Amino acid sequence: MKMRWGPLCQFLWLWSYLSYTQAVPIQKVQDDTKTLIKTIITRINDISHTFVSSKQKVTGLDFIPGLHPGLSLSQMDQTLAIYQQILTSLPSQNVVQISNDLENLQDLLHLLATFRSCPPSQTNEVETLESLNGVLEASLYSTEVVALSRLQESLQDMLKQLDLNPGC
């Protein structure tokens, strides 16, 4: 019986290569997450003309998340999913890049959650859509202003929470 050394050598070479490569450290992912949050906040500052405090009640826009200090990683992900859904529903070109950034931010939060052995988060987007459709027809500009203002506050809180190593 003739032995084939090619596949065995290839496997050993690949195994030795993989044993020397290192996984991305959690601190690097956390730093990238913070940097992306700061970038999104800057983008919002660049396009936002008006600021609405999360403490102010705006009739019909209650579905837009306000400030919730002490969020866990899964709660951050759920909050971002709602904002992502709202921003993608707006026709404004101003929010396209922010929406893309939010998607990337969610991916980084998922990676952080994976590093911490957190279970996958589940988002419930259907409820938000029901409220969103009627409001968009009535007031696009107000929805954009309130959403961006509250998103900015939420992101600033998330930035603080990441320094405290939030739970799952």
Side-chain angles (χ1 to χ4, degrees):
M1 188 179 226
K2 189 175 182 181
M3 187 167 194
R4 296 187 182 220
W5 292 98
L8 178 62
C9 289
Q10 288 175 347
F11 171 75
L12 290 174
W13 178 84
L14 180 61
W15 180 74
S16 66
Y17 173 76
L18 291 176
S19 67
Y20 286 110
T21 60
Q22 296 178 352
V24 177
I26 190 169
Q27 188 60 47
K28 171 80 169 113
V29 175
Q30 191 158 334
D31 291 345
D32 288 349
T33 304
K34 290 177 185 179
T35 300
L36 183 54
I37 289 173
K38 291 174 186 175
T39 301
I40 298 169
I41 290 170
T42 300
R43 289 187 202 282
I44 292 170
N45 285 335
D46 289 346
I47 65 170
S48 194
H49 305 293
T50 312
F51 182 80
V52 179
S53 171
S54 62
K55 295 175 185 171
Q56 288 179 298
K57 290 285 185 190
V58 181
T59 305
L61 300 179
D62 298 335
F63 64 91
I64 300 175
L67 189 60
H68 298 289
L71 294 176
S72 66
L73 290 173
S74 64
Q75 291 168 325
M76 288 180 197
D77 181 49
Q78 290 170 359
T79 300
L80 291 175
I82 293 170
Y83 281 113
Q84 172 75 13
Q85 188 177 18
I86 293 167
L87 294 182
T88 55
S89 300
L90 294 171
S92 172
Q93 291 299 311
N94 293 332
V95 298
V96 172
Q97 185 58 52
I98 293 172
S99 177
N100 293 336
D101 290 341
L102 287 181
E103 188 175 335
N104 293 332
L105 182 55
Q106 282 183 281
D107 291 341
L108 287 170
L109 287 176
H110 292 164
L111 194 53
L112 279 175
T114 301
F115 274 127
R116 295 184 180 155
S117 302
C118 298
S121 65
Q122 297 177 357
T123 57
N124 188 359
E125 299 175 0
V126 178
E127 294 175 19
T128 303
L129 265 182
E130 292 172 5
S131 302
L132 185 58
N133 289 333
V135 172
L136 285 178
E137 292 174 13
S139 181
L140 287 172
Y141 180 75
S142 295
T143 304
E144 181 178 334
V145 169
V146 172
L148 289 175
S149 295
R150 290 185 183 172
L151 173 60
Q152 183 177 22
E153 289 180 331
S154 293
L155 290 170
Q156 288 167 340
D157 185 55
M158 287 178 195
L159 199 56
K160 293 174 189 170
Q161 287 301 312
L162 286 172
D163 286 331
L164 302 173
N165 292 322
C168 294

